[in-house]
Amino acid sequence: NDIKDLGFDKALELTLKYWRGRVPLEMDIPDKKYSDCFYSSLYYLLIMDEEHKLFPGPYEYTSFFLHDAVDMDNALDKAGLTEEARASTDYFNYQEGGGYVDELGGSIFGLYEHYRLTKDIKYLEAVYPRMKSACELIRKLRAPQMALPKEDPAYGLLPKGVSQDNFKIPAYLYIDDWWAMIGLKATAEAAQILGKADDVEWIKSECE
């Protein structure tokens, strides 16, 4: 009942208060136990890096999961292995009809996040067409949902899909739309940085 009574404005206020109250920090880990844990995790990522196409998860994995690779790539960047991270982003290119739809927005985010961490503007210029193309695909996939009445709960969402949490029964998935919004926001920021005002306008509109 407490959740039912919690309106959007109040929930937003509490969420902002929580995140603004967090304190950023940097941490040294001289303890060998923690250092070993860090490096063993890093080496595991590199072992899974098959010709820069990150092959995440247990070694028994037989498929490449883009939504896993995006986070792994981000970890490599943050560990200072920017060349390895850069090479693996060549595979962040979701195609229509492929895999899980959460990988669509996630792949955009992975491309932008590598720029955000490295500030390599030439890289951003090179991958921007892929980011924009993925945003155009989001718009295309949403088009049938935009034809629904506005009061329909599925209005404006991505179409039904499956994910790692919902293998067999297509449904409107929060994770797909959440990643799509993250991808749209990332591309709008990239467009602004690159001075592409026309793109900023329609991509922001799509996100709203």
Side-chain angles (χ1 to χ4, degrees):
N1 287 332
D2 287 345
I3 293 173
K4 287 180 183 177
D5 293 339
L6 189 64
F8 175 80
D9 290 339
K10 184 62 178 176
L12 179 61
E13 179 188 333
L14 291 172
T15 303
L16 288 172
K17 182 179 178 183
Y18 169 76
W19 284 104
R20 286 173 177 162
R22 289 173 67 92
V23 180
L25 58 90
E26 291 185 9
M27 188 166 55
D28 281 331
I29 311 180
D31 189 306
K32 187 176 186 303
K33 178 172 65 175
Y34 293 107
S35 177
D36 287 348
C37 180
F38 173 81
Y39 284 106
S40 64
S41 298
L42 191 57
Y43 293 149
Y44 184 77
L45 293 185
L46 295 172
I47 289 169
M48 295 294 103
D49 188 358
E50 188 180 88
E51 296 180 357
H52 303 303
K53 181 178 180 179
L54 289 168
F55 200 65
Y59 202 72
E60 289 81 4
Y61 264 35
T62 56
S63 298
F64 168 69
F65 290 100
L66 180 52
H67 48 227
D68 291 351
V70 163
D71 288 327
M72 294 173 73
D73 190 78
N74 191 250
L76 292 177
D77 258 328
K78 288 177 177 174
L81 298 174
T82 55
E83 288 185 22
E84 288 79 1
R86 162 67 186 87
S88 71
T89 62
D90 290 342
Y91 294 89
F92 294 179
N93 192 22
Y94 180 88
Q95 298 296 313
E96 184 173 1
Y100 303 140
V101 183
D102 61 346
E103 295 181 340
L104 174 54
S107 64
I108 305 171
F109 169 78
L111 294 172
Y112 183 68
E113 189 70 349
H114 179 71
Y115 160 75
R116 193 183 69 81
L117 292 168
T118 62
K119 302 302 182 205
D120 185 343
I121 194 71
K122 288 184 178 178
Y123 168 83
L124 185 62
E125 289 170 347
V127 299
Y128 179 77
R130 287 160 59 195
M131 296 173 66
K132 180 181 174 181
S133 177
C135 290
E136 289 167 345
L137 179 54
I138 290 172
R139 180 166 61 179
K140 177 183 174 182
L141 293 174
R142 290 181 65 236
Q145 308 298 116
M146 298 299 292
L148 296 172
K150 283 195 175 181
E151 60 272 15
D152 190 309
Y155 173 79
L157 298 179
L158 286 166
K160 289 182 179 180
V162 295
S163 81
Q164 71 274 24
D165 301 316
N166 184 53
F167 285 115
K168 294 182 179 178
I169 305 170
Y172 294 111
L173 298 173
Y174 173 86
I175 194 73
D176 292 353
D177 292 281
W178 182 82
W179 269 120
M181 289 184 69
I182 296 294
L184 290 165
K185 286 183 176 183
T187 309
E189 282 188 25
Q192 206 149 13
I193 291 165
L194 297 173
K196 300 180 183 293
D198 290 346
D199 288 347
V200 173
E201 190 173 339
W202 77 260
I203 293 169
K204 277 190 172 180
S205 174
E206 191 72 17
C207 188
E208 289 302 318

